[in-house]
Amino acid sequence: MASRARKLDKSVHSVEQSAFSALMIKARKAAGLTQHELAKRLDKPQSFVAKYEGGERRIDVVEFVTICRAIGANPAKLLKALLKV
C-alpha cells in the first residue's frame, strides 16, 4: 500500500485553517460587510460567520462558494491566494 504524500490535519486549529480564516475575513471586509450583514445575505445567524472566521468551524466547498457569491468575491482567486500562504 502506497503512503499518502501528506496527511490531512482535520483540526480547526491548523496553520492552514488560520490562514483560510484570515483570508475570509479580509474578503468580507474588502466587500465592506460586517459579519451581521454577511449573515443576513446568507440567511444564517451572525454566529455562523463568527465561527468559521474564528476558526471554530470549518465550511465545506458549497458553503465557501455561497459565501464568495454573497461577498462578490471570486472563489478561484481566493483559493489561489490561499495556496500562496
Side-chain angles (χ1 to χ4, degrees):
M1 180 192 313
S3 66
R4 288 186 149 174
R6 181 175 169 201
K7 185 176 179 179
L8 293 176
D9 183 6
K10 291 190 176 188
S11 171
V12 293
H13 304 294
S14 68
V15 172
E16 293 86 357
Q17 186 64 32
S18 294
F20 179 72
S21 294
L23 184 69
M24 295 303 287
I25 292 167
K26 183 178 177 182
R28 174 182 54 77
K29 288 182 176 183
L33 297 170
T34 64
Q35 286 184 350
H36 181 76
E37 291 166 335
L38 175 55
K40 261 184 124 173
R41 288 185 181 191
L42 297 169
D43 197 27
K44 300 275 189 186
Q46 179 271 334
S47 62
F48 172 81
V49 177
K51 285 181 181 179
Y52 77 73
E53 284 189 358
E56 293 178 56
R57 180 189 191 284
R58 288 177 171 253
I59 57 173
D60 65 31
V61 68
V62 174
E63 291 171 323
F64 171 70
V65 171
T66 301
I67 293 164
C68 288
R69 287 180 178 156
I71 62 177
N74 181 322
K77 285 185 180 180
L78 286 179
L79 288 176
K80 245 183 184 178
L82 182 63
L83 291 173
K84 292 179 183 178
V85 174

